[in-house]
Amino acid sequence: MKPISRRRWLAHALGTAFAVQGCGGGGGTEVAGAPGVGSGGTGITGGIGSGGTGIGMGSISGFGSIVVSGTRFDIEGAELQLADSPVLRLGMTVRVDGVVQPDLLEGTATRVVSSADLRGHVTGLDRAAGRFRLWSVQVTTDAWTAYGGGLATLADLHDGAEVLVYGLPGPRAQLHATRIERVAGQAPVLTGAIESLDRRNRSFRIGAQQVGYRGAALLGGLTEDALAEGLSVRVRASVAAPELAALSVEPVSTPTAQEGSRLSLDGLISLLPSAGLVRIDNVPADLRNARLTGGSLSDLVAGSRVEASGTIAGGVLVVSRLRLRRNDSGGTPGTPGTPGTPGTTPDEEPAYSVRGNVVRFVSVASFRVNGQDIDARAASFANGASADLRQGRRVLVTGARVDDDVLRADRVQFLD
């Protein structure tokens, strides 16, 4: 099968065409942190079929296996294709192929694919609004954006800082960051939809950024003839101002979905045509029978971030479980770019969770679970007290913030 972009895959699967950028990459847990292989997102042509098989696309929100869009995937036997990090980390975005159970809560991954969406130097930083630019892309953040590479918050950034960003596609030339980490001396990465394709001069634009692909390697089965307006691609480049000189161009994603496939999707509401019928990253979705947490349907606005899980039926994602991620303080619910603080509605699920045995225990402020560094000084404890925390105890840790790759725990529950 000829590799196609994520845009064309969803157009085929759901009977509509739309622009969707790809998933990003990240690094590290001892469960999920096996060395990456391959080039992360290039040349993946395997279909996901029906009869229990499915796909998860979105950011990693948990370890103990990995949690993506509310579905926990066992990745012990999975092939990892990580282009921009040797290991998996909270907040990085991935695509998971595998088998998903009917309740959409558990799955077994056969493949986990991840690549960074953006890498470059920050410009136009607006800390108050929680946004900045990389190349021509407007990057927005919220209270749950994870930080790594020495970054604790957006306050640690400055114009000119070099960062790697993983995120969810927003409107034209926008990306909602799920993870930002500081890097140094690495080649540029730019992801987005092709505009103003000029075959004669072998160039195109992504947003306002001009890209020249003369001499670039076309990867993932991409050919000159397949390049087209609106095709979502990832460009790895060297800089030759004012044009970005591409070293390689690859299609963002290449799975095939079928009727009856199960899909878990972490994305942004892009259109609200009528009550209960929406688009999530432009994927047609029916929410009318969904179990909703984190708010109500009336809270959904264009740009709201949601996690939706369901089944493809009649060209539509029929959602059975929907989670609205919202900022109840310091920002409008679901609006990208408002840092705010996580919501506190009674049925709201935690932003991040890590399950497993405590290792490398130093103190309540410093220990690991499944390779994730944790600081539980501000946490409440269930089925025990902070004094019971020690090497080998099995716990479930939940929290809303990841700064410098440390999960700031809000709650620690003992499971043994």
Side-chain angles (χ1 to χ4, degrees), residues 259-307:
E259 186 77 0
S261 295
R262 293 163 187 160
L263 174 64
S264 293
L265 181 65
D266 180 6
L268 307 180
I269 297 289
S270 57
L271 183 65
L272 297 169
S274 62
L277 300 174
V278 304
R279 289 178 184 267
I280 303 171
D281 284 351
N282 278 326
V283 177
D286 184 345
L287 310 182
R288 289 175 294 183
N289 295 315
R291 177 184 176 272
L292 179 63
T293 59
S296 65
L297 288 180
S298 62
D299 293 322
L300 295 178
V301 297
S304 293
R305 182 179 175 184
V306 296
E307 294 177 354

Side-chain angles (χ1 to χ4, degrees), residues 145-148 150-156 182 401-404 408:
T145 300
Y147 293 89
L151 298 176
T153 69
L154 201 65
D156 294 330
R182 186 156 44 203
R401 290 173 47 222
V402 177
D403 56 62
D404 198 13
R408 305 297 175 180

Side-chain angles (χ1 to χ4, degrees), residues 42-59:
T42 63
I44 306 304
T45 57
I48 62 174
S50 58
T53 58
I55 195 165
M57 300 187 80
S59 66

